[in-house]
Amino acid sequence: MSLTISELEKLQAEHPDWQMELVEGNILIRSPSDYQSSEIATEFAIQLCNWVKPRRLGRVTGSSAGFILPSLEATANGNEPRNLRAPDVSFVRAERLKKTQRDFVQLVPDLMVEVKSKTDRIKPLEEKIQLFLQLGSTIGILIDPDKLTVTVYRLDREPVVLQSGDILTLPELLPGWELAISDLWPVEFD
């Protein structure tokens, strides 16, 4: 059974605790992230938001923000879109979303970030990142807490793998912003 976004919204209203995405009309149920992965995603979002917000550069959202993605098939047939995806962290430039919406947004974020959870497999995460890049995202990032790496993806370029001693910069999107990779990993308290 192939669902539309409107049908998914009705299903979500009936099951508000479920986290769902829609991939070519098929429901993808997302389980909650493990604690560490969620903490890393939150830290990334905080660091990004602390740079973006005072400069009024755009909007930063977490894993609950849904993006209605274009589908070539749906567009060609005049059908309602059937792709609703939610990256763990995303950034949309201010000129692309001047006013926030009380709905899913029908655009592709400029930056999308996925954080590998304990139960995630790398390949589906990489496929999701590649989809966003093909649809118009400038940068996709995969954070792997198991390997302590941050992999930066750009369309038609080799991925760049960063480790704890490295600094993440995204000059094409956020000139001047820097994030020490070691700052992403959760602190251990004595």
Side-chain angles (χ1 to χ4, degrees):
M1 177 180 180
S2 183
L3 297 177
T4 64
I5 291 171
S6 300
E7 292 167 329
L8 179 69
E9 286 179 307
K10 291 175 189 169
L11 190 59
Q12 284 182 318
E14 295 169 13
H15 305 280
D17 295 335
W18 293 4
Q19 291 183 322
M20 295 179 267
E21 290 185 354
L22 199 59
V23 180
E24 291 302 322
N26 297 307
I27 294 176
L28 176 66
I29 305 281
R30 298 175 11 157
S31 63
S33 293
D34 60 80
Y35 196 89
Q36 182 185 40
S37 297
S38 180
E39 190 174 354
I40 291 167
T42 300
E43 182 62 32
F44 191 100
I46 288 169
Q47 295 281 342
L48 184 59
C49 197
N50 284 343
W51 174 264
V52 165
K53 192 170 183 179
R55 291 166 180 80
R56 301 178 55 85
L57 299 175
R59 302 181 186 286
V60 177
T61 55
S63 63
S64 297
F67 291 87
I68 299 171
L69 302 179
S71 169
L72 297 176
E73 180 186 319
T75 303
N77 297 331
N79 295 332
E80 184 179 342
R82 298 178 309 135
N83 289 300
L84 177 67
R85 305 299 303 266
D88 291 326
V89 179
S90 57
F91 165 72
V92 177
R93 289 178 289 130
E95 59 268 18
R96 295 187 60 228
L97 191 59
K98 292 184 183 283
K99 184 178 178 185
T100 196
Q101 297 180 20
R102 188 83 168 132
D103 207 344
F104 300 123
V105 292
Q106 194 160 351
L107 58 79
V108 180
D110 297 290
L111 167 69
M112 63 86 67
V113 180
E114 287 294 314
V115 180
K116 182 187 178 295
S117 293
K118 182 179 173 182
T119 57
D120 283 337
R121 294 185 341 259
I122 291 291
K123 185 171 173 61
L125 295 174
E126 289 176 330
E127 288 170 352
K128 183 176 181 180
I129 290 168
Q130 287 304 319
L131 171 68
F132 273 79
L133 291 173
Q134 290 166 0
L135 292 174
S137 288
T138 304
I139 298 171
I141 294 176
L142 175 58
I143 301 174
D144 187 342
D146 298 327
K147 294 182 180 176
L148 299 178
T149 59
V150 173
T151 305
V152 182
Y153 298 84
R154 292 172 174 90
L155 192 61
D156 299 327
R157 290 174 53 188
E158 286 297 313
V160 176
V161 180
L162 304 172
Q163 298 175 340
S164 285
D166 296 326
I167 303 289
L168 172 66
T169 61
L170 307 172
E172 63 269 69
L173 269 184
L174 302 163
W177 183 64
E178 294 184 349
L179 173 63
I181 300 303
S182 58
D183 287 349
L184 289 174
W185 315 133
V187 234
E188 292 185 21
F189 301 110
D190 296 329

